[in-house]
């Protein structure tokens, strides 16, 4: 097993028409090509009730944001009271109306025994990751019950070993509408749903650190999983 963790980002964008209403001041208008910042919140568990900051685990960090300068984002009073700790996530390639199949979220992270133990302990305690896009929390859909849960698990136990979810398939839904800019109307899009399907995939890493398996034809459900075992 390669001692490397590589988190990759798989993003799918779907524009849909949704009937509803907006509370003034809460909706952000976007146009195709606009970048949307994805933030990371705390890791939580219903078993321990002890939250951890996102980068308490050795996830890839955004370029230009080393550990020493990873400051908290501005948080409102409600977020502080709820124990939220907002950070910039490594997923920075999110553009409105621009889908893609596979992109690395950051540089490969070497998985020594200590890092593997960190991930395994969080998986054992059923910790989930909370990401935020345009103030919406990421959710996972249960197709059998047609229900949604907030956040996604760090990993799971499969075949007697713990596997790490290191590949995320995102689905972002929009509501197309019009807004007035002066005396003219403009076509815009507003994000109405943010979903994810996590996968575990043991990517092929070249000698120079390139992700050889991360291509436009990549299928995250087609290969071996990443185990936390040494």
């Amino acid at each position: 097993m390669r001692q490397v963790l590589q988190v990759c980002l798989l993003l799918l964008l779907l524009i849909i028409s949704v009937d509803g209403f907006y509370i003034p001041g809460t909706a952000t208008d976007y146009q195709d090509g606009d970048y949307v910042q994805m933030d990371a919140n705390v890791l939580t568990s219903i078993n321990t009730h002890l939250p951890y900051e996102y980068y308490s685990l050795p996830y890839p960090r955004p370029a230009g944001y080393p550990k020493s300068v990873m400051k908290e984002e501005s948080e409102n009073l409600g977020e502080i009271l709820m124990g939220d700790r907002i950070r910039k996530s490594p997923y920075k390639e999110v553009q409105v109306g621009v889908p893609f199949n596979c992109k690395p979220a950051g540089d490969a992270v070497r998985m020594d025994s200590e890092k593997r133990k960190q991930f395994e302990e969080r998986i054992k305690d059923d910790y989930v990751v909370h990401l935020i896009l345009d103030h919406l929390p990421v959710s996972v859909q249960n197709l059998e019950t047609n229900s949604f849960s907030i956040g996604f698990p760090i990993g799971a136990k499969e075949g007697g070993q713990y596997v790490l979810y290191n590949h995320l398939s995102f689905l972002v839904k929009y509501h197309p509408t019009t807004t007035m800019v002066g005396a003219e109307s403009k076509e815009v899009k507003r994000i109405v749903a943010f979903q994810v399907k996590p996968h575990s995939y043991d990517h092929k890493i070249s000698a120079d650190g390139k992700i050889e398996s991360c291509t436009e034809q990549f299928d995250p459900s087609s290969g071996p999983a990443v185990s936390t075992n040494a």
Side-chain angles (χ1 to χ4, degrees):
M1 180 65 63
R2 286 182 293 278
Q3 301 296 307
V4 173
L5 161 67
Q6 178 64 41
V7 179
C8 290
L9 172 63
L10 176 67
L11 176 64
L12 302 176
L13 300 180
L14 174 65
I15 299 175
I16 61 174
S17 178
V18 176
D19 295 326
F21 63 90
Y22 294 93
I23 300 174
T26 63
T28 302
D29 295 336
Y30 296 100
Q31 292 184 302
D32 285 342
D34 288 347
Y35 281 91
V36 188
Q37 179 172 314
M38 188 187 303
D39 293 319
N41 204 345
V42 292
L43 313 174
T44 62
S45 168
I46 60 173
N47 294 327
T48 68
H49 302 288
L50 176 65
Y52 284 94
E53 192 262 337
Y54 179 78
Y55 290 106
S56 65
L57 287 177
Y59 283 118
R61 295 175 181 273
Y65 290 92
K67 184 176 182 179
S68 60
V69 296
M70 287 299 294
K71 303 296 185 182
E72 296 180 10
E73 295 297 301
S74 297
E75 297 155 354
N76 59 40
L77 179 60
E79 291 173 332
I80 294 174
L81 293 175
M82 291 296 292
D84 292 342
R85 293 294 180 267
I86 311 300
R87 301 288 189 270
K88 288 183 174 65
S89 81
Y91 310 108
K92 57 189 177 182
E93 296 292 336
V94 183
Q95 286 180 274
V96 175
V98 183
F100 57 80
N101 189 40
C102 182
K103 287 187 179 181
D107 295 332
V109 177
R110 293 282 172 182
M111 285 279 282
D112 55 27
S113 58
E114 181 179 351
K115 290 184 175 66
R116 288 177 178 274
K117 184 179 180 181
Q118 281 182 280
F119 276 112
E120 186 170 310
E121 289 177 347
R122 299 292 186 271
I123 295 172
K124 285 180 180 179
D125 288 331
D126 295 325
Y127 271 88
V128 298
V129 180
H130 296 277
L131 299 178
I132 303 169
L133 187 73
D134 195 38
H135 305 291
L136 290 175
V138 72
S139 63
V140 176
Q141 183 178 15
N142 186 322
L143 297 177
E144 294 182 359
T145 62
N146 195 30
S147 61
F148 293 85
S149 57
I150 301 300
F152 62 91
I154 294 173
K157 190 172 185 179
E158 298 178 1
Q161 63 180 4
Y162 292 94
V163 299
L164 174 66
Y165 290 143
N166 68 325
H167 193 106
L168 306 177
S169 299
F170 291 115
L171 175 64
V172 180
K173 297 182 180 181
Y174 300 96
H175 170 68
T177 187
T178 58
T179 188
M180 296 301 296
V181 179
E184 299 182 356
S185 63
K186 181 175 65 173
E187 297 291 329
V188 296
K189 295 167 183 173
R190 293 171 179 170
I191 298 175
V192 296
F194 177 35
Q195 299 171 27
V196 67
K197 183 176 182 180
H199 307 270
S200 182
Y201 191 91
D202 192 7
H203 283 280
K204 295 180 179 179
I205 313 295
S206 64
D208 58 355
K210 301 296 183 182
I211 316 302
E212 297 178 343
S213 52
C214 191
T215 66
E216 285 300 314
Q217 293 75 38
F218 174 70
D219 179 3
S221 63
S222 64
V226 175
S227 172
T228 61
N229 295 339

